[in-house]
Amino acid sequence: MKNKLKNKKSIYITGIILLLLDQIVKILVRTKMALYQEIKIIPKLFSLYYVENDGAAFSILGSKTLLLIIISLACIIYLNKFIIEEKLPKISYIPLGLLLGGIMGNLIDRIIYHSVTDYLSIFIFKYSFPVFNIADIAICLSTIFLIIIFIIDDKKEVNRSEKNDSCNRRRKSTN
């Protein structure tokens, strides 16, 4: 197991950095702002707005803290197993670390506070997006990047396989 992780430690380092950044900002928000306080940064576009979310994204599964903790732990366990056992393209290391760190950041909030501290509020064309945090950004962006990376990697694998099949057929026909 140690050899399998040797080159993948940057995944865990990235996850820890994201986790620390997420938790530091959340501590600042919880200690420096009142619940539901809003600080307008760019009027009609971006503000800091302190809310507590006891659900998942878009408040899905509100008040289901134990279920969300179990889901988060299952995701962390699966991700860790995946990271250890799979041959991963190096380009996936940072997104995997961000995903791991983001899940852990929101998990810590759920365990300690029974809700997640959200504070980033964006308005675009009079639409107010649900308030979110750094961990949420990491989870969403890393998931998008990982999907793209693994689709590209799968296409490369299919092309390699097709080339090998073609070479094998030519060898057989010349023999």
Side-chain angles (χ1 to χ4, degrees), residues 3-169:
N3 286 338
K4 289 183 179 182
L5 283 178
K6 185 179 175 185
N7 295 326
K8 297 177 182 179
K9 65 182 174 183
S10 62
I11 296 170
Y12 296 102
I13 291 169
T14 301
I16 291 168
I17 291 168
L18 187 277
L19 172 63
L20 291 173
L21 176 65
D22 175 67
Q23 289 299 301
I24 289 168
V25 173
K26 287 175 179 174
I27 289 168
L28 288 171
V29 168
R30 283 191 300 272
T31 58
K32 302 295 182 190
M33 294 179 70
L35 190 59
Y36 306 115
Q37 179 183 355
E38 182 177 23
I39 301 171
K40 293 183 183 198
I41 307 297
I42 303 172
K44 298 182 181 180
L45 182 64
F46 174 68
S47 65
L48 296 178
Y49 181 55
Y50 173 28
V51 296
E52 293 290 334
N53 179 2
D54 66 355
F58 306 102
S59 296
I60 297 169
L61 298 173
S63 300
K64 304 283 188 215
T65 305
L66 182 59
L67 175 62
L68 292 169
I69 288 171
I70 292 168
I71 291 169
S72 296
L73 288 170
C75 287
I76 290 168
I77 291 166
Y78 173 78
L79 267 172
N80 191 53
K81 186 176 190 295
F82 179 76
I83 290 165
I84 292 168
E85 293 180 359
E86 294 298 319
K87 184 174 187 215
L88 303 169
K90 286 191 178 190
I91 194 169
S92 70
Y93 288 12
I94 290 176
L96 282 166
L98 293 175
L99 181 59
L100 201 54
I103 294 169
M104 289 188 303
N106 285 341
L107 174 63
I108 288 171
D109 280 16
R110 286 190 178 97
I111 290 170
I112 295 172
Y113 305 106
H114 306 286
S115 63
V116 173
T117 301
D118 289 329
Y119 49 86
L120 299 171
S121 181
I122 295 180
F123 307 90
I124 297 179
F125 303 116
K126 297 183 181 181
Y127 176 76
S128 176
F129 286 87
V131 182
F132 55 97
N133 60 46
I134 291 172
D136 297 335
I137 294 169
I139 292 167
C140 291
L141 290 179
S142 63
T143 300
I144 291 166
F145 286 129
L146 287 168
I147 289 169
I148 292 167
I149 289 166
F150 290 126
I151 287 172
I152 291 169
D153 198 52
D154 280 349
K155 284 184 179 181
K156 286 180 182 176
E157 189 62 37
V158 166
N159 288 341
R160 273 187 236 123
S161 178
E162 287 174 354
K163 283 181 182 178
N164 287 341
D165 289 346
S166 175
C167 288
N168 289 337
R169 280 191 295 256

